[in-house]
Structure formats: structure tokens, C-alpha cells
Amino acid sequence: MTESTAHSENQPTEGGLKHRHLLGLEGYSAGEIHLILETARQFRDVLDRPIRRVPTLRGITVVNLFFEPSTRTRISFELAEKRLSADTVNFTASGSSVSKGETLKDTAQNIEAMKIDMVVLRHVSAGAPHFLTRCVDAVVINAGDGAHEHPTQALLDMLTISDHLGSLEGRNISIIGDILHSRVARSNIHGLLAVGANVTICGPNPLLPRHLEEMSPNGRVRVTHRLDEALEGADVAMALRIQMERQGRNLFPSTREYHEQYGIRLEHLDRYPDLLVMHPGPVNRGVELASEVVDHERAVILNQVTNGVAVRMAVLYLLSGSRVAE
Amino acid sequence: MEANDIIKAQLLDARDLERTLHRMARQLVEMFAPDEDGAGRFGLIGMQTRGVYLARRLQRIMSEVDGIDVPLGVLDVTMYRDDFRMRMKQPVVRETKIDFDVDGRHLVLVDDVLYTGRTVRAGLDALTDLGRPASVHFLVIVDRGHRELPIKADFVGRKVPTLPGEEVRVRVQELDGKEGVWLVDHPNTEGNNA
């Protein structure tokens, strides 16, 4: 179609995604990210209709391979698949052949032998989704791999931000907490930088990555250890979950002390009256966020959850076309 | 036109298209009498992309000539298409926006070209998911034949017998910067007019 569109970098790309899989947002262009977000907005409307299901992925089989405990991401993907009328199979590590010692490759090849079109993979090891693409023909979507990436979480974060602020370009996003172990932070940094947002990361020194320059080759990530510096001028404060299971490794003194130094409290919302607060969940109330902040009208945590289903529908839809490409 | 299009004939110029739309607006008013019971039981549904612009024209004509404001919704059927397994890249999902209740209403689907009938089939599925209209009628500017489903239009601008490899291009000023209907040769077409 000869549509007269003024093309800029921050327009959805035409002709679909250039990628066959979603392993991470590293390498995804601004145009591709905007295409996913724009498509997600259309699918989100479906969620408000009397019949919240469309036949788009009828005949497509998706397997949800979760080698790591997950409730909300798994439910969100499952719901997205059902809303699109895909056939879904769930496979979780506990109570499966994984506990009998089967390798990822064997599991994947067995599943593929059952004629699967797409795999959604959550795994403790960084790089597992990439490895999977070399074992199977199916389209692979990363639902979180180790401390590497969690691309659909970052996409739903970006959708939520652009819903509230109207745009992403030039916005100031501060990510606060355990950046070092966070795949959510990593995906957000890649995605936000691609669309032209400014990223600040903030946390205690042991929780900040050593080699930040490798993560952001164009060096647009600002680093600070002081919460007030991170919040000053920020449009969005994205608090990350302190992973209690990592406690005891002495990365910071105590959760109480963490809250005093890095927890977002009501006083911060008073001081920065336009600040939006986000959190990928589940929230440790009184640690990353004061309980009153979680329930505050400027905390958009539940919008993030709704957007999660819409973004995953968009990703499943856009990548399902690449299935026939090879 | 599109890349590789070779124009064979202009079927309608801007004035012809305007007259066709005026005639069709008259037919709609005659059949549905939206002026009598208010526009409360009538609605136009423009199918993305050019059907939306054509439906807006019909809406404007009915407003100017008859003084009736009829509601207009926008329908994108991408999520309901049946050529899923045949495509390499997914088409862009465009907006669906119907701000009125379709239940109990007489709806007229508006599209530019009727070809295989698969697009309007998808449109019927989409409408059914949104509610239960009293009736659904179908209006097209050009019926080019070659149906693959038992579907026909209720209001037709012009019937144009076409050959395989030919395409019909409806162009509107607002979107394309020119206005009219053309018959073109399009080698290796994927058939985006349905």
C-alpha cells in the first residue's frame, strides 16, 4: 500500500518483525518495539470486549516450558495464548521428566516431536532460550532466563510508561534496586535506550553491575547510589524486587536498612508530584516500596499486569508469522 | 498505485465515485429510514483501511443531504482472518473502534472491493463477537467477482469482471492524495484485496 507515512525511527516498522524469536530486547530496533506496543494496544481492546477471545492463533500450538517457578508470568502467557485461541500445553519442572534428569535439549526435542509451533521458555540459566533455538524449529519466546533478559516484562513496562506519559523518547526512567541480578533491568535498559529514553540505575554498590559499559555501549545509562539523585527529574521510578532468596549473601545489610536507603516512601511521592511508580511484582511491601506507595494512585503496578497479557498477545501474534518463513 | 502495478484502465474518476456514493447513500436512507426512528437503530461500519474513509463519506452525505447523523464504527478484521498459515509476515493489526452498542442495530459493513469474500466473512465473525446486531448488510464500491465463499453484497457501486492477475485499486483523497478506481495488472499478487 502506498500510504503516505512520514517515517521516523520512532514509528512502528512496516512488514513485521525482523526477528524470528524473542530472546531479548538487545538488538530489537525502536521500530520493532513500537510495532509490538502498537499491536498490543489493539489486542488490549479485545480484553475489554464481551467476548474476550479472538480466533487469531487457531491451530497454533504453544508449549509453556517453565523450568523455574513462576506464577504471574506463566498465567499471563497462558491467558494471552487462550485469548488468541492457540492450543496450549504447560510443562513445569517440578513433577516432570526434568526431575528425572532429562536435559533441556532432550525435553525440547521430545516436545518438538509432538509438533509444537512456539515455545515460551523460563529457565534459571542465562542463554537457555538461545540454546533452544539451535535444538528445535519452533519459534522461541524468552519468559526470563537467569540474570540475562525478560523481554516481555520490559515491553509491558514500556507500554505502561507510554500509556501514562504519551511517549518514551526523552523520558527519564530510574531503575532502582538489585540491578546486578535483574533480567528485568537488563531488558528495560536495552529497550528503553533503543526507543530514546534516558535510563538511571540506582542501588547499593554490590547490587550494581560491574561492566555497565558493555550493557550500554552508547553510554546513556547514568549510575547513582543515592535514591534522591535517581528520583530528581525522573518521570518513572521502577523499583525492582529484592530477591529474598539471595539474602544471606551479604549484598546489603538488612531489608530494613535497604528500605531506609532505597525504599520509595510517601515522602518521595510528595516531593516529586509527577513521579510514576512501577514494580514488576511481586512486591515486598515495606522493602522496595512502602505499603502506602503500593496502593497509591501514582503506582501503576496493576496496569502493568493488564498490559502484560496484551503485550504477550502481540508478541505471540507477530512472531507466529515467522514460523512458516523457514 | 502499488509497486509493480501496471494501470490498464480507470474505472471511476473522482466525480464518478462521488456520484456512486451519493446514490448508495440514497439507497441506505430508503432502506433503513434512519431519519424516522432517529439514527438509534442504524450504524455504518467502515472496514480498515479504505472502507473507513468511504463510510465517512456516506456519513457526511447523509448528514448534508438528509440532516441525519448516523453513527460510524471502525472495524479491523486482521485477528479474524483465515489465511494465517499461508502468510510469511503478519499484517499490522489496526484499530477497531465501535463506540455504540451493536445489539439490535441494523449495521452496514462498508468496504472498497469485494473479491473472494474472505474479508467480509472475517468481518461477520468479528461483529458477532461484539454483540448481536438486528441485521448486517454489506456495501462495496466495486464487486470484482471470483468469490470463494457464498457471499454477496447488498449495495454495489459497480460490478467489474476481472481476470486473475488483475487487481482493482480504490483510492481516496484523504489517504492516497488522489481519488478514483483503477483496474491494474499486478504480477505475483498476494491478493490483498479480498
Side-chain angles (χ1 to χ4, degrees):
Chain A
M1 296 283 137
T2 49
E3 286 175 18
S4 49
T5 41
H7 238 317
S8 96
E9 212 182 47
N10 269 324
Q11 293 288 318
T13 50
E14 297 200 0
L17 296 177
K18 305 279 177 282
H19 290 79
R20 187 164 179 257
H21 308 281
L22 178 61
L23 306 178
L25 287 187
E26 186 175 8
Y28 266 64
S29 68
E32 287 178 291
I33 291 170
H34 284 291
L35 175 63
I36 295 171
L37 301 185
E38 198 41 58
T39 305
R41 288 194 177 92
Q42 307 308 332
F43 280 114
R44 187 170 57 194
D45 288 344
V46 172
L47 304 176
D48 291 327
R49 291 183 191 166
I51 295 175
R52 292 188 291 270
R53 178 191 279 257
V54 286
T56 319
L57 293 197
R58 207 163 44 190
I60 297 290
T61 306
V62 186
V63 60
N64 299 311
L65 260 183
F66 279 71
F67 287 94
E68 199 185 57
S70 159
T71 309
R72 58 187 73 205
T73 304
R74 187 173 53 77
I75 288 175
S76 182
F77 265 110
E78 233 183 291
L79 210 50
E81 291 150 10
K82 289 190 159 65
R83 298 286 189 232
L84 291 170
S85 305
D87 298 315
T88 64
V89 186
N90 290 313
F91 182 101
T92 45
S94 57
S96 72
S97 45
V98 174
S99 47
K100 298 173 189 164
E102 193 175 58
T103 66
L104 173 60
K105 185 176 178 179
D106 287 333
T107 305
Q109 286 180 336
N110 272 284
I111 287 169
E112 178 142 76
M114 300 175 205
K115 307 297 175 199
I116 297 297
D117 300 297
M118 305 178 86
V119 179
V120 175
L121 177 66
R122 157 75 58 104
H123 202 278
V124 280
S125 302
H130 185 261
F131 172 76
L132 194 63
T133 62
R134 288 182 280 141
C135 314
V136 300
D137 279 335
V139 170
V140 176
I141 297 173
N142 182 2
D145 60 332
H148 175 232
E149 283 224 40
H150 189 355
T152 56
Q153 175 70 42
L155 288 164
L156 73 89
D157 290 338
M158 286 189 275
L159 180 60
T160 310
I161 295 169
S162 68
D163 282 347
H164 283 87
L165 302 179
S167 65
L168 292 161
E169 200 173 357
R171 297 296 183 177
N172 300 313
I173 317 299
S174 292
I175 308 175
I176 297 144
D178 182 357
I179 313 287
L180 181 64
H181 301 103
S182 174
R183 53 194 174 207
V184 175
R186 209 165 303 264
S187 287
N188 263 301
I189 291 171
H190 287 304
L192 287 166
L193 291 181
V195 296
N198 308 310
V199 179
T200 299
I201 60 171
C202 172
N205 210 23
L207 297 183
L208 294 183
R210 288 316 87 186
H211 303 288
L212 194 67
E213 57 283 1
E214 287 170 23
M215 263 177 87
S216 58
N218 34 11
R220 280 185 290 156
V221 177
R222 190 169 66 112
V223 184
T224 175
H225 304 293
R226 292 193 46 237
L227 181 62
D228 268 308
E229 250 173 52
L231 297 183
E232 182 71 47
D235 296 298
V236 175
M238 194 182 283
L240 299 176
R241 197 171 78 87
I242 286 298
Q243 304 185 20
M244 297 301 191
E245 54 271 26
R246 296 191 203 281
Q247 262 296 65
R249 286 172 49 191
N250 297 323
L251 295 169
F252 56 92
S254 72
T255 53
R256 192 178 58 81
E257 195 163 318
Y258 180 87
H259 184 65
E260 276 168 21
Q261 282 190 41
Y262 296 101
I264 300 174
R265 302 179 294 276
L266 269 187
E267 61 193 78
H268 297 114
L269 291 179
D270 291 340
R271 204 176 311 154
Y272 307 105
D274 296 322
L275 184 71
L276 281 183
V277 177
M278 297 173 58
H279 192 293
V283 181
N284 297 307
R285 281 178 186 256
V287 183
E288 308 97 49
L289 302 176
S291 197
E292 312 85 73
V293 170
V294 178
D295 304 319
H296 196 276
E297 57 178 10
R298 276 188 276 135
V300 293
I301 299 165
L302 293 177
N303 303 53
Q304 290 173 267
V305 176
T306 305
N307 282 339
V309 178
V311 151
R312 289 172 179 122
M313 288 172 82
V315 167
L316 287 160
Y317 168 72
L318 291 167
L319 289 176
S320 60
S322 58
R323 193 179 37 88
V324 277
E326 286 171 28
Chain B
M1 300 300 118
E2 285 179 37
N4 306 333
D5 273 0
I6 303 155
I7 295 178
K8 294 178 90 173
Q10 182 164 19
L11 302 173
L12 302 177
D13 63 19
R15 201 181 53 169
D16 298 332
L17 182 57
E18 187 66 13
R19 283 178 175 167
T20 301
L21 287 164
H22 266 273
R23 189 244 303 161
M24 295 173 112
R26 300 273 62 70
Q27 289 177 297
L28 293 178
V29 172
E30 182 189 11
M31 179 151 177
F32 298 101
D35 47 340
E36 285 174 20
D37 60 349
R41 296 200 56 217
F42 178 77
L44 290 169
I45 306 281
M47 299 179 67
Q48 292 274 22
T49 304
R50 285 178 183 74
V52 177
Y53 294 89
L54 296 163
R56 282 190 197 137
R57 299 280 185 88
L58 291 165
Q59 184 190 39
R60 200 196 64 215
I61 293 169
M62 289 162 90
S63 165
E64 287 172 1
V65 177
D66 307 282
I68 322 162
D69 287 322
V70 298
L72 183 142
V74 171
L75 185 67
D76 179 82
V77 302
T78 312
M79 297 175 195
Y80 291 83
R81 291 175 63 131
D82 64 356
D83 53 356
F84 186 76
R85 289 192 171 270
M86 296 149 72
R87 281 186 258 128
M88 299 288 278
K89 285 289 180 189
Q90 300 294 53
V92 173
V93 180
R94 297 182 198 281
E95 181 182 53
T96 291
K97 193 172 194 311
I98 300 174
D99 291 334
F100 49 85
D101 194 353
V102 301
D103 285 351
R105 206 179 276 268
H106 296 282
L107 299 179
V108 176
L109 278 172
V110 179
D111 206 358
D112 54 353
V113 178
L114 172 57
Y115 178 30
T116 62
R118 290 179 189 272
T119 304
V120 69
R121 196 278 316 154
L124 290 171
D125 278 356
L127 279 184
T128 310
D129 278 1
L130 294 170
R132 189 176 186 280
S135 69
V136 180
H137 289 77
F138 185 37
L139 181 152
V140 283
I141 301 304
V142 176
D143 177 354
R144 59 165 292 194
H146 303 286
R147 215 77 75 240
E148 293 172 2
L149 295 170
I151 278 171
K152 75 174 188 58
D154 303 286
F155 306 96
V156 179
R158 183 170 293 196
K159 275 200 160 76
V160 181
T162 56
L163 299 169
E166 288 178 337
E167 291 286 334
V168 173
R169 307 284 186 222
V170 175
R171 293 295 177 259
V172 291
Q173 192 66 40
E174 304 92 304
L175 183 66
D176 307 298
K178 63 178 163 186
E179 179 109 356
V181 180
W182 285 265
L183 181 68
V184 303
D185 255 337
H186 188 79
N188 306 321
T189 178
E190 281 177 42
N192 41 25
N193 282 332

